[in-house]
């Protein structure tokens, strides 16, 4: 059940990250910063999807652990972009809330699976 929830949330988050990336282009955010956020933010769901087809418990944990690392990295890039003035407060807090929900779900799933 949690796996389906985190899959849905990570997909919705990735779509929001893609939309944010488009907005960052409009405010002339350095492409390198926006690209890092886009890469890690969309990678979360891709790793979760890979975990769904895991060949073993260890493979599942490895994929979800990578998704967790990507979510943590995305949280970092969001903070950096907010602190440098490229993301407004209202958007930042919404993105961080979504990202941290995914982080907490991933941690719970990984712990339960171990």
């Amino acid at each position: 059940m949690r796996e389906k929830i985190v899959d849905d949330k990570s997909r919705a988050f990735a779509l929001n990250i893609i939309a944010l990336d488009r907005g960052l282009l409009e405010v002339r955010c350095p492409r390198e910063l926006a690209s890092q956020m886009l890469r890690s933010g969309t990678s979360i769901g891709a790793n979760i999807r890979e975990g769904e087809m895991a060949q073993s418990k260890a493979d599942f944990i490895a994929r979800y652990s990578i998704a967790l690392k990507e979510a943590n990295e995305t949280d970092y890039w969001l903070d950096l972009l907010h602190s440098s003035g490229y993301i407004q407060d209202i958007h930042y807090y919404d993105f961080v809330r979504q990202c941290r929900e995914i982080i907490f779900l991933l941690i719970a799933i990984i712990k339960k699976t171990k």
Side-chain angles (χ1 to χ4, degrees), residues 57-74:
K57 183 177 167 179
D59 186 27
F60 177 86
I61 292 169
R63 291 294 163 195
Y64 271 60
S65 295
I66 293 169
L68 178 58
K69 289 177 184 180
E70 294 293 338
N72 190 52
E73 180 181 341
T74 303

Side-chain angles (χ1 to χ4, degrees), residues 37-74:
M37 184 224 29
L38 178 65
R39 185 197 55 76
S40 63
T42 56
S43 179
I44 300 165
N47 281 289
I48 289 169
R49 285 285 177 98
E50 284 187 47
E52 290 173 4
M53 296 299 162
Q55 296 177 349
S56 66
K57 183 177 167 179
D59 186 27
F60 177 86
I61 292 169
R63 291 294 163 195
Y64 271 60
S65 295
I66 293 169
L68 178 58
K69 289 177 184 180
E70 294 293 338
N72 190 52
E73 180 181 341
T74 303

Side-chain angles (χ1 to χ4, degrees), residues 63-100:
R63 291 294 163 195
Y64 271 60
S65 295
I66 293 169
L68 178 58
K69 289 177 184 180
E70 294 293 338
N72 190 52
E73 180 181 341
T74 303
D75 186 66
Y76 170 80
W77 291 117
L78 288 168
D79 177 57
L80 195 63
L81 289 164
H82 174 254
S83 296
S84 58
Y86 290 107
I87 301 176
Q88 296 175 353
D89 286 351
I90 192 165
H91 300 296
Y92 170 71
Y93 294 118
D94 186 45
F95 276 96
V96 167
R97 179 192 53 77
Q98 292 174 56
C99 189
R100 291 185 182 166

